[in-house]
Amino acid sequence: VSLITLNPRPLDRALRERAASVLPGGVYGHVAADLLWPGAPQFVGRAEGAHFWDVDGNEYVDLMCSWGPLLLGHRHPAVEEAVARQHGLVDCGNGPSPVMVELAERLVGVVDHAAWAMFAKNGSDATTLCLTLARAHTSRTTILTAGGAYHGALPWCTPVACGVVPGDRAHLAHYVYNDLDSVLAAAETHAGDLAGIVVSPFKHDAGFDQELPDPAFARGVRELCDRTGALLILDDVRCGFRIAYGSSWEPLGIAPDLSAWSKGIANGYALAAVLGAERVRAAAASVFATGSFWFSGDAMAASLATLDVLEREDGVAAMQAWGRRLWDGIEAQARERGVAINLTGHATMPYLTFPDDDDYALGELFAAVCAREGLFLHPRHNWFVSTALSDTDLDVALRAIGCALDAVVAAPGRVAALDG
Ligand SMILES: Cc1ncc(COP(=O)(O)O)c(C=O)c1O
């Protein structure tokens, strides 16, 4: 396969022009190409496995995995087959199809802390439902979240406050990730009214170096919840099934009371889940949780097939091994060139920035050259590894990264800063 992407993108440009008149601001949200680099491809033509093609036909090794959902790569045959089979029976019916029960049984079997499952469509549905369940269970109101952590784009959690009124965010208080004292202090301020504490598996805030969880922090938050009766809510929407085949805090030995899932659980089909401990079952059965598409079968069939493949192929270990080789290769190439980098996060979800690159000038240059060389990644957000990535893809990725690091070293006016 040829992976040359220096071509102009006339079709992308034409679509952007049409989009500008019928989509507000052009393409909105996290997929807006202005967040990549000038001239980045906005529109995707097709995708297969670990590769995708922009609308102009340029091919890329995909290190974003559609921002997480593609755990097994695009259009995985086992998933597509399961979806086609379910679709031939019923997708959006007057009630759920049997796959809903099968999937709930499966998730309860796979995820240690889970005694039951509820389904929805997006990660924001799942995190929001977790807050509702914590309040229903405790009859209290305050929820703690880490300052700057992303839990979705609804008014209570969107990072952009435009259109949000203070009431939307009432009854929320914040702590600093990995700083147990800050959690204890916030809990003390809201003593008697603490319904839940939301934690991310690791600190994966976009635009900041990532931080793995301090086990003492995770244990301390769990103990605080045990002591106060507040529920520990793990937002596994982004990390789910990339860090562990189970909840992402299982390797730490910490069981949340509720976990929120979406993104990868159905390999690109729209599905979210809330998994919960036995003690939250009564509250979960009491709230009114529903949506027009929340019971649709195709995505649930996709999820069952995704879990089958992950299990059969030890997919989590495969992603971690590939990600580790990528990580080591990046570090080695940066060292060889004397380029200072910040490579943080988890092997399956790495994040690369350059020191003092506050305006992301170097990050954008790096990502643009990677794309020119056939590797798609993001300058401002963590990347995602899938099981579809091959040894050849690793070679392409490391060669592209080498070219991109060369470009960073050559960037006028920045060499001194890098040398220093
Ligand atoms: C940690 C986390 N929680 C929640 C969400 C919200 O998910 P969605 O965009 O599907 O609503 C995201 C999405 O990126 C996320 O990364």
Side-chain angles (χ1 to χ4, degrees):
V1 276
S2 90
L3 288 166
I4 302 304
T5 60
L6 249 183
N7 316 340
R9 299 191 179 92
L11 299 179
D12 197 75
R13 200 171 329 116
L15 278 165
R16 283 182 187 231
E17 278 164 22
R18 286 166 58 194
S21 62
V22 288
L23 302 173
V27 174
Y28 45 83
H30 64 293
V31 299
D34 341 344
L35 299 171
L36 291 163
W37 59 88
Q42 175 68 83
F43 291 93
V44 178
R46 70 186 178 94
E48 189 81 44
H51 295 207
F52 77 95
W53 289 258
D54 63 28
V55 283
D56 290 287
N58 302 300
E59 180 176 359
Y60 308 88
V61 168
D62 187 358
L63 254 192
M64 284 309 289
C65 295
S66 311
W67 299 75
L70 281 306
L71 272 179
L72 309 177
H74 299 271
R75 294 165 41 76
H76 189 282
V79 176
E80 297 310 300
E81 208 179 290
V83 169
R85 203 177 320 119
Q86 181 60 42
H87 200 74
L89 299 170
V90 59
D91 177 31
C92 186
N94 281 319
S97 62
V99 281
M100 183 173 183
V101 182
E102 284 171 45
L103 180 58
E105 287 171 346
R106 184 67 170 275
L107 288 168
V108 163
V110 167
V111 176
D112 281 352
H113 82 88
W116 50 264
M118 296 172 85
F119 297 104
K121 282 287 139 191
N122 284 287
S124 306
D125 297 338
T127 53
T128 303
L129 184 53
C130 286
L131 267 56
T132 304
L133 294 182
R135 287 166 172 154
H137 173 78
T138 58
S139 303
R140 304 175 194 159
T141 52
T142 303
I143 303 280
L144 303 186
T145 69
Y150 188 68
H151 299 297
L154 296 179
W156 74 266
C157 53
T158 173
V160 178
C162 183
V164 172
V165 299
D168 290 328
R169 301 186 192 248
H171 313 302
L172 292 178
H174 305 290
Y175 64 88
V176 177
Y177 196 86
N178 267 342
D179 178 351
L180 183 58
D181 286 344
S182 72
V183 187
L184 296 173
E188 185 58 36
T189 305
H190 298 278
D193 189 45
L194 192 58
I197 304 178
V198 185
V199 288
S200 306
F202 69 88
K203 183 172 186 269
H204 49 40
D205 308 352
F208 295 90
D209 289 349
Q210 319 280 281
E211 261 179 56
L212 297 181
D214 175 354
F217 165 77
R219 272 194 308 276
V221 176
R222 177 68 270 176
E223 281 162 18
L224 173 64
C225 287
D226 291 341
R227 207 163 55 242
T228 58
L231 297 188
L232 180 59
I233 301 165
L234 185 68
D235 180 353
D236 233 329
V237 169
R238 196 179 312 178
C239 300
F241 296 136
R242 273 194 174 81
I243 291 183
Y245 191 60
S247 102
S248 293
W249 273 14
E250 280 182 29
L252 293 178
I254 304 295
D257 301 297
L258 294 170
S259 55
W261 302 71
S262 188
K263 290 203 181 276
I265 60 169
N267 203 51
Y269 286 88
L271 187 68
V274 171
L275 305 182
E278 188 55 46
R279 62 185 158 285
V280 198
R281 184 190 293 268
S286 307
V287 301
F288 186 61
T290 197
S292 296
F293 303 103
W294 284 20
F295 302 90
S296 299
D298 287 8
M300 295 178 185
S303 185
L304 279 164
T306 302
L307 296 172
D308 283 344
V309 176
L310 279 179
E311 225 160 85
R312 196 168 60 233
E313 299 180 358
D314 200 356
V316 174
M319 282 184 271
Q320 295 192 358
W322 197 97
R324 177 47 59 191
R325 287 162 71 202
L326 177 76
W327 188 292
D328 292 346
I330 295 171
E331 283 188 335
Q333 298 207 66
R335 227 178 5 253
E336 279 162 23
R337 290 165 176 79
V339 183
I341 57 168
N342 299 322
L343 184 57
T344 58
H346 188 268
T348 59
M349 299 168 61
Y351 179 57
L352 177 72
T353 58
F354 298 93
D356 304 322
D357 186 32
D358 298 338
D359 59 357
Y360 291 90
L362 293 180
E364 289 189 8
L365 172 69
F366 174 83
V369 175
C370 282
R372 190 194 69 197
E373 300 299 322
L375 173 68
F376 186 81
L377 46 73
H378 206 287
R380 292 176 168 77
H381 194 277
N382 71 266
W383 316 332
F384 295 90
V385 168
S386 74
T387 64
L389 289 156
S390 66
D391 288 355
T392 310
D393 295 326
L394 185 68
D395 292 344
V396 170
L398 289 176
R399 201 189 63 75
I401 285 166
C403 292
L405 289 173
D406 287 342
V408 166
V409 170
R414 302 305 292 251
V415 182
L418 290 168
D419 286 347

